[in-house]
Amino acid sequence: MIQRIQSLFLLLAAISGAGMGYFNLWKAKLMKGVTASEVYFNALSSYLIFIIVMVSVLLSLITIFLYKNRKLQFRLTVFNILLAIGAIILQYVKVGQTADKLMADGATIISASYLPAAFLPVVTLVALYLAARGIYKDEKLIKSLDRLR
C-alpha cells in the first residue's frame, strides 16, 4: 500500500541505495612522479559493497509489498538497517584500503574527499529507521484495536 508513510520511506531507501551504486563516492588527486591524476571510488570498485547495496535495494522494494504481514515487514526492515550499517562501515574501510594501496604504489595523495553520494547510505539508514518506526506504530495500533473488540 503506497499511501502508508513507511512505504514512501522504503521507496526513498531503495532510491538512495540505487544512487549509491551509481555515483562516485570518493575522489583523490594523486601525484605520481610528474603526472597528476584523479582516482575515484564507487560501489563497483568493491563488489562486496555493490552486492550489499543491491540486496538492500531489493529488500526495500520487496518489503513495500509485504504490508499485509507487518511482523515480517518489520523484521526485514530491521535486517535492512543492519545491511545499511554494514555498507557504511565497509565503505569507510574500503576507501581507507584504496588510499593505502595508492600510497603503497608510490603515489602521493594531494587531496582526497568524500563526494556527496557517499552520504546516501546515511539517508538510506534514516529512511529505513523511519519506515521501521511507522511499521511498529501500525502494528501497535492494530493490536490496540484488537483488544477493544
Side-chain angles (χ1 to χ4, degrees):
M1 231 192 297
I2 198 69
Q3 68 261 25
R4 294 170 59 213
I5 190 71
Q6 54 267 31
S7 297
L8 295 176
F9 286 134
L10 288 168
L11 185 63
L12 175 66
I15 291 170
S16 66
M20 182 189 168
Y22 181 73
F23 295 112
N24 291 324
L25 305 173
W26 182 73
K27 174 178 79 168
K29 292 182 182 177
L30 303 176
M31 183 66 93
K32 190 170 187 178
V34 292
T35 59
S37 63
E38 288 186 349
V39 173
Y40 293 95
F41 180 86
N42 56 22
L44 287 174
S45 299
S46 170
Y47 290 118
L48 184 59
I49 293 175
F50 184 73
I51 289 170
I52 289 174
V53 168
M54 289 304 123
V55 166
S56 177
V57 167
L58 288 175
L59 196 58
S60 294
L61 291 174
I62 290 169
T63 306
I64 291 173
F65 299 105
L66 294 175
Y67 58 87
K68 290 184 180 179
N69 191 349
R70 286 174 303 279
K71 289 181 183 180
L72 179 62
Q73 190 180 36
F74 181 76
R75 285 187 198 131
L76 289 177
T77 304
V78 170
F79 177 69
N80 208 351
I81 288 171
L82 296 175
L83 281 177
I85 291 170
I88 292 170
I89 293 169
L90 194 59
Q91 173 189 332
Y92 177 76
V93 169
K94 290 292 185 177
V95 165
Q97 288 176 350
T98 301
D100 291 342
K101 182 180 174 191
L102 290 172
M103 288 190 294
D105 289 341
T108 304
I109 297 177
I110 297 170
S111 68
S113 63
Y114 282 96
L115 299 173
F119 300 103
L120 286 175
V122 176
V123 172
T124 302
L125 185 63
V126 170
L128 288 170
Y129 170 75
L130 292 173
R133 194 175 75 170
I135 295 165
Y136 180 75
K137 283 183 179 179
D138 273 1
E139 185 65 24
K140 194 173 169 183
L141 177 67
I142 296 299
K143 283 183 181 180
S144 71
L145 290 175
D146 285 344
R147 272 187 262 135
L148 292 175
R149 290 183 191 175

